[in-house]
Amino acid sequence: MSLQIRIKKLIDQISVGMHEREEIIPVALLGALTGQNTFLYGPPGTAKSLISRRIAKAFDNPPYFEYLMNRFSTPEEVFGPVSIKALKEDQYIRKTENYLPKAEFAFLDEIWKSSPAILNSLLTLINEGIFKNGQELEKTPLKTLIAASNETPEENQGLDALYDRFIIRLMVGPIEIKENFESLISSKPTLAEIKVADEVVIKNNEWASWLKKIDTVELSQDTLTIIHLIRKELSEQFEELGVYVSDRRWQKAAQLLKASAFFNNRKVTNHSDTLLLRYCLWTKEANREEVERIVNTAIEESGFSPEVSLAELDRKKDELDKEINVEVFYQNDVYETHNIKGKDYYKAKITFRYKTGYYNDYKETTRTFYIPVSKMKSREAFKPLDSNGNELTGYTCTFDGQGSCDVKITGLEGRYDSEAHFTPKILCSKGQKKQNVNSRLIDALKNEVKELKQTLRITLELCEAKQSEYMANLYSPFVSEQSCNIALNGINQQISDLKLRIKDCDRLKGLCSA
């Protein structure tokens, strides 16, 4: 039986009778398999203690401790009573048997309601794996601590360090689906006592061996890309979300991803493993959903990390696109102009009508003006010039912003129709192919486009091959199929984008041949 199948059977057995906990129990179990602590967040009555007891049942009869915290809790109730016999001998020693310091699995409900004395000792216990019992430092066998509360710790209460030790944070809400709710209230109470088959239950020697093997799993380049995207987004939204992820938390979270890969018979992490980061990075209810969105988006946008930089290929394609257009096509309309004393002018032949002296009897006269090219983008009035560059004071010109120029006669409005229009003559329109294009340059550009297209084709083939391999290893008992589709969407989009890039190379090739 493969390790993946074994873990799947184990999850099925410890999940019997548990509704809508399809990801909570597997992830909490993965935390226990990795030696990580889990925080269950949610209202009372959502089976948080039952989840903890079921996780413990996955292991071979481990010492288990459970306690409901309150503000009157004393260290004796958690760490054991003081030995009266030892006290008579002037030694302050606790009798820790059957209490937290001797437990391999522990569940502390309403953890944040406890006293500072308990929480401070708890931090040392779970952080260093030791319990100071009088003058002695006892090594604790605790594999995982599961804590629960319907609130996250308040700020400025000195609980940040302890809260940071709970690498996995799971939202445990009431049952939402109608059929599941009816099944719950119609059936017998769900019990913690279940039978786990000997072939799947986890032995102590196995657990220790697996921890060493998990360390040999590698984080893939895809995983590192996703992590960097998440870190960047969290940094940019720090003012809004207030989410700080310590280096220790990132390291522990990476161990969780490695463990996921290991128990799925892989030596390298993939996208399905990184989905677990959704349970590692949020800090309070107000940012939980946004952090999950950030993780999902990073996974969806990352796709695969190909051997070549897609950003660099895009930059190259954009440069080729720009160069081809500059060399082959006019970038702006080209007008017929004339040079007078080093400056360019439009030559305008404009016809005006004037009265002959008889009633409504008009004749026409045509005059030639030279209009400065520099005035075309302006709406300011100016004077035209004659062929010698002299300003014609009897006329006023104004461009209309649409490429046409209004020419008015000043001083003789009563005799002349005072206004006429002129539009500069376009020799070549914007986007029109140039004449006498450098054929050697065009051939060189064609070759560059060909090479780029070939590189994109090779990258596409690698991504498609990787996609097939990925889909074959996509399944994970720790992540739902629906969640895995998030990663698939990003990969499919990347492949689709590569195909569009290749098609765009054909467009560039066509421009060279236009």
Side-chain angles (χ1 to χ4, degrees):
M1 184 190 311
S2 74
L3 191 55
Q4 185 190 59
I5 293 175
R6 178 180 172 184
I7 294 297
K8 177 61 171 65
K9 287 186 175 181
L10 178 60
I11 291 172
D12 289 342
Q13 291 180 29
I14 65 175
S15 300
V16 171
M18 304 286 284
H19 298 287
E20 297 180 26
R21 303 294 182 254
E22 293 82 3
E23 288 197 11
I24 294 171
I25 290 178
V27 175
L29 175 63
L30 180 62
L33 291 169
T34 321
Q36 310 279 23
N37 304 309
T38 297
F39 174 61
L40 302 180
Y41 171 73
T46 51
K48 295 188 288 294
S49 60
L50 182 58
I51 291 170
S52 176
R53 295 168 197 160
R54 288 289 184 90
I55 297 300
K57 290 298 180 182
F59 293 78
D60 190 14
N61 296 318
Y64 182 81
F65 176 79
E66 182 175 311
Y67 184 73
L68 173 61
M69 299 285 204
N70 61 72
R71 60 195 180 100
F72 301 111
S73 296
T74 63
E76 286 75 17
E77 294 169 309
V78 178
F79 303 111
V82 175
S83 171
I84 302 300
K85 180 180 178 180
L87 198 59
K88 289 179 180 179
E89 298 175 0
D90 202 23
Q91 296 182 44
Y92 193 87
I93 298 175
R94 294 188 183 277
K95 298 170 69 174
T96 56
E97 197 67 33
N98 297 322
Y99 288 89
L100 181 60
K102 296 296 185 183
E104 290 186 9
F105 285 84
F107 175 69
L108 299 178
D109 202 0
E110 298 299 342
I111 184 172
W112 312 123
K113 289 182 169 60
S114 184
S115 66
I118 293 177
L119 295 176
N120 288 336
S121 297
L122 186 61
L123 176 60
T124 303
L125 190 149
I126 65 176
N127 187 40
E128 301 176 22
I130 59 173
F131 175 69
K132 187 175 182 181
N133 196 357
Q135 299 299 316
E136 299 294 325
L137 294 179
E138 296 181 2
K139 187 171 179 60
T140 59
L142 189 66
K143 288 182 172 65
T144 187
L145 171 64
I146 297 179
S149 179
N150 61 357
E151 59 187 2
T152 53
E154 295 182 8
E155 295 181 0
N156 304 317
Q157 297 297 311
L159 298 173
D160 292 348
L162 179 59
Y163 188 42
D164 197 49
R165 265 62 177 189
F166 292 94
I167 302 303
I168 300 170
R169 296 166 180 170
L170 298 169
M171 175 67 187
V172 186
I175 292 174
E176 296 182 353
I177 299 174
K178 177 182 176 182
E179 291 76 10
N180 290 338
F181 178 74
E182 291 177 352
S183 175
L184 173 72
I185 62 177
S186 301
S187 59
K188 295 180 180 180
T190 307
L191 302 176
E193 292 298 324
I194 52 170
K195 176 63 178 176
V196 178
D198 290 339
E199 62 178 357
V200 297
V201 75
I202 300 166
K203 312 296 191 298
N204 269 335
N205 61 334
E206 288 181 312
W207 183 79
S209 172
W210 289 344
L211 283 180
K212 294 179 181 179
K213 293 177 180 177
I214 287 170
D215 287 334
T216 65
V217 175
E218 296 181 7
L219 295 176
S220 68
Q221 187 58 51
D222 298 325
T223 297
L224 292 174
T225 297
I226 291 168
I227 288 174
H228 287 308
L229 287 172
I230 295 171
R231 288 188 72 200
K232 180 176 180 292
E233 191 66 22
L234 289 177
S235 176
E236 291 177 352
Q237 295 195 41
F238 180 77
E239 292 294 328
E240 179 184 350
L241 299 178
V243 175
Y244 165 72
V245 183
S246 66
D247 291 344
R248 173 180 56 243
R249 174 165 288 275
W250 277 117
Q251 185 183 47
K252 294 290 188 180
Q255 283 295 106
L256 194 70
L257 307 191
K258 291 180 179 181
S260 175
F262 173 76
F263 289 111
N264 282 295
N265 305 318
R266 287 185 275 105
K267 295 182 179 180
V268 180
T269 58
N270 69 14
H271 292 67
S272 66
D273 304 319
T274 59
L275 286 161
L276 296 169
L277 292 172
R278 297 182 297 183
Y279 311 115
C280 300
L281 306 180
W282 64 274
T283 58
K284 51 189 177 181
E285 175 61 22
N287 60 45
R288 182 178 60 84
E289 291 185 356
E290 181 60 21
V291 168
E292 181 174 337
R293 185 199 64 78
I294 289 172
V295 172
N296 291 345
T297 300
I299 294 170
E300 196 166 14
E301 290 182 352
S302 67
F304 289 131
S305 298
E307 296 180 4
V308 296
S309 169
L310 292 180
E312 180 62 24
L313 293 178
D314 282 341
R315 185 192 63 78
K316 178 65 175 176
K317 183 171 68 66
D318 289 343
E319 287 181 354
L320 281 171
D321 195 344
K322 183 177 180 180
E323 188 173 1
I324 290 170
N325 275 282
V326 167
E327 294 297 333
V328 179
F329 302 97
Y330 290 105
Q331 302 303 295
N332 297 290
D333 291 336
V334 178
Y335 295 90
E336 181 181 34
T337 61
H338 297 265
N339 190 281
I340 300 175
K341 297 180 180 179
K343 295 183 179 181
D344 290 330
Y345 294 84
Y346 301 119
K347 184 179 181 180
K349 289 186 177 182
I350 301 177
T351 299
F352 294 96
R353 293 197 314 162
Y354 65 94
K355 291 182 179 180
T356 62
Y358 299 101
Y359 180 71
N360 286 337
D361 188 14
Y362 286 87
K363 288 191 175 181
E364 294 181 345
T365 180
T366 300
R367 298 185 180 181
T368 301
F369 303 96
Y370 289 86
I371 297 173
V373 172
S374 60
K375 298 294 184 179
M376 190 175 193
K377 301 298 182 181
S378 171
R379 287 178 178 263
E380 295 180 358
F382 60 92
K383 302 294 183 182
L385 307 180
D386 62 17
S387 60
N388 296 316
N390 300 313
E391 196 173 81
L392 299 174
T393 58
Y395 302 89
T396 300
C397 300
T398 308
F399 275 98
D400 62 2
Q402 303 297 320
S404 294
C405 183
D406 297 329
V407 182
K408 294 182 179 181
I409 298 176
T410 57
L412 297 174
E413 289 87 344
R415 184 178 175 188
Y416 282 83
D417 281 353
S418 61
E419 186 173 342
H421 302 281
F422 161 71
T423 301
K425 181 180 179 181
I426 297 177
L427 297 178
C428 300
S429 300
K430 179 181 178 180
Q432 185 177 337
K433 186 177 180 181
K434 295 179 181 179
Q435 301 297 321
N436 303 319
V437 177
N438 187 325
S439 59
R440 290 185 179 180
L441 177 59
I442 294 302
D443 288 342
L445 291 172
K446 282 183 180 179
N447 287 332
E448 288 190 55
V449 171
K450 182 179 179 181
E451 291 174 4
L452 175 62
K453 182 178 178 180
Q454 182 62 21
T455 302
L456 287 169
R457 281 192 177 280
I458 293 172
T459 304
L460 174 62
E461 290 171 2
L462 289 172
C463 284
E464 288 178 332
K466 199 171 182 181
Q467 180 193 36
S468 300
E469 178 187 353
Y470 173 78
M471 291 183 68
N473 293 285
L474 178 64
Y475 171 79
S476 170
F478 309 113
V479 181
S480 69
E481 182 178 346
Q482 182 180 2
S483 294
C484 286
N485 286 337
I486 294 171
L488 275 178
N489 290 342
I491 293 163
N492 292 337
Q493 184 61 50
Q494 182 181 28
I495 289 174
S496 176
D497 289 345
L498 279 168
K499 290 179 179 178
L500 287 176
R501 288 179 174 98
I502 291 171
K503 188 174 182 180
D504 203 37
C505 285
D506 292 332
R507 178 185 65 83
L508 295 180
K509 184 179 178 182
L511 291 179
C512 292
S513 304

